[in-house]
Amino acid sequence: MICTAKDKAGSKYKLKENIEKFFTWFVEEGKATVRLKEPAVDVCLSKADANSLKNFLSAARLAHRGSDNDTLPLSTLTPVRARDVEKPKKKLTIVSKKDYPLTSNFPHSLEQLQVSYCKLSRVDMRMLSLKSLRRLDLSNNHIKKLPATIGDLGCLAELILHNNHLEAFSEALCLSSLQRTLQHLDLSQNRLQTLPAQFCQLRELVNLKLDDNKLVRLPFHIGWLSKLRFLSAAHNQLPFLPGDFRKLTLENLDLFGNPFTQPNPLDHTMQLTFPLTLQEMASRAVIDLRIPYGPRLLPFHLCQELELSKTCDCGRACLSSYIQNAVSMNLHLVSHTVVLVDDMGGTEAPVQRHFCSLTCYSEFLDGCLQRSLR
């Protein structure tokens, strides 16, 4: 009879002429495997007393040969007590290098794993076989690069990478299964300067921490993160916020300690071309008319340009031909709670704006002039 945490009543297996093979290489360590013919299963035994295990294997061999039951050292078959069944390990915390497993694997049943203060310079590939993992905390290590295979963890909802040496977050991770599962991402106290445009494909994100990096800009289409409620990007190098920032609906926002510029609506960057190029006109039409596109239909570099399209105040798209400026926005428009952005008690920050034509820019300037005269 074999009892498990899921089957405490136990399951019975026939042994007479039904054992295909015994695996006893590690019997002295209390480990062995019995392979049955019908049903075709392997019965894995571990953490057993070596002598008791040997006695059991001897009895199993005799039963396989058809020996008389009276000669076998058998105990009465009774369901196991709940306290005698070892439950699958769901959570493991390692906060010391001396406790880090070098020769043994992590339990495959893990749902939460924390490995901190172990001076890891890379992600251990053994962690990436934990298919039930929902929370992975690798904070306070020396990790410089993330393997794309983290994206194969199909249940991962929380990824904590606080205080490492990361310099990039790859496009591959943004396009992996993390798009459907990742809700909490902590990249604070690393060495990030930018995040890829594809970062905003992580549309299940609820909590994003980017504090204490070297970020010079936030992802262009950050407004795509419609489920984001908590955003902190304090102590970076942000001079302004992307125009899409206005689409966020946050509960808490922290942008303290960034060198935000003082915006002037009259200061602008002119990148309009007259007339518009055929590529610009076609690209605008693809975005405005919501025409499907992808690498199977268009060259990859054109797909990338389309993903970086800007939205004019009039609602139409513009790509490489536009006018750009910045205006001040009260951050309470996008967040219920706002941490002050500076020591002066300010809650405003500059937000980029783009205009697809001189007409749209002129209308914007007329509106600014009218407001100043009121």
Side-chain angles (χ1 to χ4, degrees):
M1 178 181 287
I2 297 177
C3 299
T4 66
K6 292 183 178 180
D7 181 17
K8 295 185 176 68
S11 299
K12 297 179 182 179
Y13 292 95
K14 176 186 175 183
L15 294 183
K16 184 177 180 181
E17 298 180 354
N18 193 38
I19 297 178
E20 182 177 324
K21 189 174 183 180
F22 289 92
F23 297 89
T24 57
W25 293 337
F26 301 102
V27 69
E28 295 296 338
E29 298 177 16
K31 302 175 184 178
T33 298
V34 180
R35 177 166 294 172
L36 302 180
K37 296 177 182 178
E38 292 292 337
V41 298
D42 286 349
V43 180
C44 301
L45 309 168
S46 63
K47 298 184 180 179
D49 175 76
N51 291 327
S52 298
L53 180 57
K54 290 176 183 178
N55 290 335
F56 169 78
L57 294 174
S58 296
R61 286 191 179 94
L62 292 172
H64 170 63
R65 295 169 187 161
S67 298
D68 189 343
N69 289 346
D70 295 335
T71 66
L72 298 179
L74 300 177
S75 59
T76 304
L77 292 180
T78 56
V80 73
R81 295 172 297 179
R83 66 173 179 270
D84 293 331
V85 178
E86 182 177 345
K87 295 182 179 179
K89 197 173 185 65
K90 302 289 187 180
K91 184 177 180 180
L92 178 62
T93 300
I94 301 171
V95 291
S96 173
K97 193 173 182 179
K98 65 180 178 63
D99 296 329
Y100 190 79
L102 297 176
T103 57
S104 59
N105 287 325
F106 295 98
H108 287 286
S109 55
L110 283 180
E111 295 181 2
Q112 299 184 46
L113 174 61
Q114 178 182 357
V115 180
S116 302
Y117 303 102
C118 291
K119 299 183 180 179
L120 296 182
S121 60
R122 61 181 182 272
V123 178
D124 191 329
M125 300 304 288
R126 291 177 297 171
M127 300 175 186
L128 305 182
S129 65
L130 305 174
K131 300 305 180 182
S132 300
L133 206 59
R134 294 184 50 81
R135 186 177 192 273
L136 178 59
D137 184 346
L138 298 175
S139 59
N140 299 293
N141 283 293
H142 299 164
I143 298 171
K144 297 181 179 179
K145 186 178 181 180
L146 298 175
T149 42
I150 283 184
D152 295 334
L153 296 173
C155 298
L156 194 63
E158 296 185 46
L159 181 57
I160 316 297
L161 297 162
H162 165 80
N163 193 22
N164 276 281
H165 298 169
L166 293 174
E167 297 181 354
F169 193 88
S170 72
E171 295 179 6
L173 284 175
C174 302
L175 300 176
S176 68
S177 63
L178 296 182
Q179 289 181 349
R180 301 184 297 274
T181 63
L182 194 61
Q183 298 177 0
H184 180 116
L185 178 60
D186 187 348
L187 295 171
S188 59
Q189 291 192 32
N190 278 281
R191 302 172 182 178
L192 300 171
Q193 295 186 9
T194 60
L195 293 170
Q198 294 80 2
F199 187 86
C200 298
Q201 298 289 349
L202 300 173
R203 301 195 187 195
E204 296 299 315
L205 277 178
V206 176
N207 192 330
L208 175 59
K209 296 184 179 182
L210 300 169
D211 310 278
D212 297 291
N213 277 282
K214 301 178 181 180
L215 292 172
V216 295
R217 63 175 181 270
L218 292 179
F220 195 78
H221 285 302
I222 195 169
W224 290 355
L225 303 179
S226 58
K227 295 184 179 181
L228 193 64
R229 295 296 177 264
F230 303 91
L231 172 61
S232 55
H235 301 289
N236 278 283
Q237 300 299 315
L238 301 174
F240 48 74
L241 302 174
D244 240 30
F245 201 87
R246 292 175 291 177
K247 299 178 181 178
L248 294 176
T249 52
L250 304 173
E251 294 181 19
N252 190 279
L253 173 63
D254 184 0
L255 296 173
F256 181 81
N258 281 285
F260 289 127
T261 58
Q262 186 65 35
N264 182 346
L266 299 178
D267 291 338
H268 64 270
T269 301
M270 175 78 72
Q271 289 194 260
L272 277 178
T273 56
F274 302 100
L276 294 177
T277 65
L278 181 59
Q279 179 178 324
E280 177 74 15
M281 294 173 66
S283 298
R284 289 186 178 192
V286 168
I287 299 299
D288 292 339
L289 299 177
R290 299 183 179 181
I291 299 174
Y293 67 88
R296 294 183 179 181
L297 302 173
L298 294 174
F300 181 71
H301 73 279
L302 290 180
C303 293
Q304 286 187 312
E305 290 183 17
L306 288 169
E307 289 177 355
L308 294 175
S309 65
K310 298 120 180 118
T311 303
C312 176
D313 269 18
C314 71
R316 293 192 291 267
C318 50
L319 285 89
S320 58
S321 184
Y322 57 85
I323 300 173
Q324 173 184 298
N325 75 349
V327 296
S328 184
M329 181 185 75
N330 190 321
L331 298 177
H332 281 290
L333 294 175
V334 297
S335 179
H336 178 73
T337 303
V338 177
V339 176
L340 303 181
V341 299
D342 53 39
D343 293 327
M344 303 300 292
T347 59
E348 295 194 348
V351 178
Q352 282 184 321
R353 297 183 84 152
H354 295 89
F355 306 93
C356 66
S357 64
L358 283 173
T359 300
C360 290
Y361 185 52
S362 297
E363 291 177 356
F364 164 74
L365 291 179
D366 288 344
C368 291
L369 180 60
Q370 292 174 12
R371 285 191 295 272
S372 66
L373 294 176
R374 290 173 185 171

